[in-house]
């Protein structure tokens, strides 16, 4: 079981991990060893609660395809194990970020003092600019 929070976890068989060769330079190690990890997670077919699924699908992230599949490629480290841990932690962070609920924003008004200070500074600036005009004799 892959735990996301104390109340939410995903069975391991819903996360598809495959080892691939890493891209980029690195010499013989990169050319011979499949150390990068390709993670695929189908949101619609998962056992996540429906609320979490909707939040994830509504999120505009390039790692989520139109079909609702999260694709993460981890190739930062030299070993397959570290890349697997990195991919799983990135999946956990993506899901946690999507299901986070923000408190509602309360509208506020500027104070009378701040409004007065703003208007005073605007009129002061206007006076300075008025002095820049042409001088008539």
């Amino acid at each position: 079981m892959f735990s996301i929070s104390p109340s939410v976890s995903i069975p391991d068989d819903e996360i598809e991990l495959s080892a691939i060769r890493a891209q980029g330079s690195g010499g013989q190690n990169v050319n011979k060893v499949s150390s990068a990890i390709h993670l695929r997670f189908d949101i619609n077919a998962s056992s996540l609660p429906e609320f979490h699924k909707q939040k994830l699908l509504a999120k505009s992230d390039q790692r989520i395809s139109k079909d609702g599949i999260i694709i993460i490629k981890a190739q930062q480290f030299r070993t397959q194990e570290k890349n697997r841990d990195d991919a799983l932690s990135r999946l956990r962070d993506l899901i946690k970020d999507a299901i986070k609920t923000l408190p509602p924003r309360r509208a506020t008004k500027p104070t009378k003092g701040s409004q007065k200070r703003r208007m005073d500074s605007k009129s002061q600036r206007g006076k300075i600019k008025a002095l820049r005009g042409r001088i008539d004799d």
Side-chain angles (χ1 to χ4, degrees):
M1 288 295 260
F2 177 64
S3 175
I4 292 168
S5 68
S7 61
V8 179
S9 59
I10 301 170
D12 291 334
D13 61 332
E14 292 183 4
I15 301 170
E16 181 186 325
L17 294 168
S18 57
I20 57 173
R21 285 196 204 144
Q23 292 177 324
S25 61
Q28 293 176 357
N29 191 55
V30 161
N31 297 333
K32 292 194 299 191
V33 181
S34 297
S35 61
I37 294 292
H38 202 251
L39 180 144
R40 294 175 67 86
F41 176 69
D42 192 354
I43 299 169
N44 294 318
S46 70
S47 61
L48 284 173
E50 196 60 37
F51 171 73
H52 293 357
K53 287 182 187 180
Q54 295 303 321
K55 293 280 266 184
L56 267 171
L57 291 170
K59 191 171 175 64
S60 67
D61 194 308
Q62 65 184 15
R63 296 172 289 187
I64 302 174
S65 69
K66 289 180 225 165
D67 302 328
I69 298 173
I70 297 174
I71 301 170
I72 295 174
K73 184 176 180 184
Q75 60 180 10
Q76 183 178 358
F77 300 101
R78 272 177 78 103
T79 63
Q80 199 178 95
E81 189 176 312
K82 282 186 180 179
N83 282 327
R84 181 180 295 118
D85 293 341
D86 181 42
L88 289 172
S89 68
R90 283 170 30 195
L91 175 66
R92 180 182 293 121
D93 293 342
L94 178 68
I95 295 173
K96 274 186 176 180
D97 187 46
I99 63 176
K100 185 171 32 177
T101 55
L102 297 173
R105 184 189 176 279
R106 278 181 275 151
T108 58
K109 290 183 179 178
T111 62
K112 294 283 184 188
S114 68
Q115 286 179 357
K116 184 174 180 348
R117 284 191 299 274
R118 179 176 159 267
M119 296 312 291
D120 289 345
S121 68
K122 283 172 73 76
S123 61
Q124 181 67 32
R125 190 77 184 150
K127 288 176 188 172
I128 291 170
K129 288 188 173 190
L131 292 173
R132 294 183 189 160
R134 180 172 286 160
I135 299 173
D136 292 327
D137 286 331

